[in-house]
Amino acid sequence: MEEKKFQKGIKRIFDVVVSLTVLILLLPLWAVVAILIKTTSKGPIFFLQERPGFQRKVLKVYKFRTMRPGSEKMVKGKEVMKGDDRITTIGKFLRRSKIDEIPQILNVLKGEMSLVGPRPERVASLKDYTDEISRRLNMKPGLTGLAQVSGNIYLSLQDRYKFDVYYVNHYSLRLDIKIIIRTVGVVLFGEDKYVDRCLVDIKRGTSEVAVTKEETVSK
């Protein structure tokens, strides 16, 4: 228990240091993206949406807007796919490159989110949570997570929940580092390249699947 507490303390320090560094280094990118969003479609630069966070506490998640105004209504468990016609031209690039998620470092700095953790769902999803699924709320939501580097939108909702619960039950700094490294691969090669290349095997329980550097590059 003390080891987990220590690791979570290190996790918070890492979150703050990395987020501040990213915020400073990417300020020019923020300006460029803001200009592109405003000049290519009507609507605000940022999209804010209430999401449940740690222990069900509701927070407002920041994102660069990638969809046309009025496209906020979503269906539980149904992700926005690549060909969705509600996505703006610049939005397609922002979503593919994950740049649209960058403003969430503000949530991280505020202590509402972490760099790694279960992705925050919509508040309406809470009513369908079982006790087991609710375990995903026992850690802060993250910019990236185990499900996001294991196929993400190509996974069923139940499988995404399983990855989230696994992460909470088996949290370690080592696992966080593996997820961050894999996230780089997802950004470069796309989520579809990792559908069957999970860091953990949820079908077999708790065994982690080794992924070599050569295998990752080959994808």
Side-chain angles (χ1 to χ4, degrees):
M1 185 65 70
E2 286 299 321
E3 181 181 354
K4 291 288 185 181
K5 186 176 181 180
F6 174 75
Q7 289 196 64
K8 289 181 179 179
I10 297 298
K11 179 183 178 74
R12 178 57 186 159
I13 294 173
F14 183 76
D15 283 345
V16 172
V17 172
V18 173
S19 295
L20 280 175
T21 301
V22 170
L23 179 62
I24 294 171
L25 292 179
L26 296 187
L27 276 178
L29 177 63
W30 284 51
V32 171
V33 171
I35 293 172
L36 289 173
I37 291 175
K38 290 300 290 184
T39 56
T40 57
S41 64
K42 295 180 179 180
I45 295 171
F46 296 102
F47 173 69
L48 278 69
Q49 191 172 55
E50 290 189 339
R51 301 289 179 92
F54 180 64
Q55 302 294 358
R56 295 175 179 257
K57 183 177 180 180
V58 176
L59 63 142
K60 287 188 176 181
V61 172
Y62 301 92
K63 293 183 70 173
F64 282 123
R65 181 175 60 83
T66 62
M67 301 180 75
R68 297 182 177 84
S71 302
E72 295 85 0
K73 188 176 181 180
M74 302 298 296
V75 178
K76 177 180 179 290
K78 184 177 181 180
E79 297 296 331
V80 179
M81 304 301 282
K82 292 179 180 179
D84 197 308
D85 59 8
R86 295 172 298 175
I87 304 175
T88 63
T89 302
I90 184 63
K92 293 177 182 178
F93 169 73
L94 296 179
R95 296 177 77 93
R96 169 63 183 81
S97 62
K98 304 300 182 184
I99 291 176
D100 65 317
E101 309 283 359
I102 290 178
Q104 286 166 41
I105 62 174
L106 298 176
N107 294 112
V108 176
L109 288 173
K110 290 167 66 177
E112 300 171 329
M113 293 180 63
S114 179
L115 293 176
V116 181
R119 286 295 296 162
E121 285 202 309
R122 292 164 186 80
V123 177
S125 298
L126 292 177
K127 69 180 186 302
D128 298 322
Y129 275 22
T130 62
D131 290 341
E132 179 68 10
I133 296 173
S134 292
R135 293 180 65 83
R136 70 190 301 277
L137 301 174
N138 289 342
M139 290 193 73
K140 293 178 183 178
L143 272 74
T144 185
L146 188 55
Q148 283 62 53
V149 299
S150 303
N152 198 23
I153 63 174
Y154 298 95
L155 298 173
S156 69
L157 180 60
Q158 288 304 313
D159 277 349
R160 292 202 297 273
Y161 285 156
K162 289 177 182 178
F163 279 113
D164 291 339
V165 172
Y166 179 101
Y167 173 79
V168 172
N169 291 341
H170 300 83
Y171 166 73
S172 69
L173 289 175
R174 177 173 174 267
L175 182 55
D176 267 13
I177 292 171
K178 292 174 70 174
I179 292 172
I180 290 173
I181 293 173
R182 175 65 74 86
T183 299
V184 176
V186 170
V187 171
L188 293 176
F189 305 116
E191 294 173 337
D192 56 319
K193 302 298 183 183
Y194 294 92
V195 175
D196 297 314
R197 302 178 63 80
C198 309
L199 288 175
V200 299
D201 188 348
I202 57 173
K203 294 181 179 179
R204 291 191 300 175
T206 61
S207 60
E208 291 195 14
V209 179
V211 179
T212 66
K213 183 177 180 181
E214 288 182 352
E215 288 176 327
T216 302
V217 172
S218 68
K219 285 288 184 179

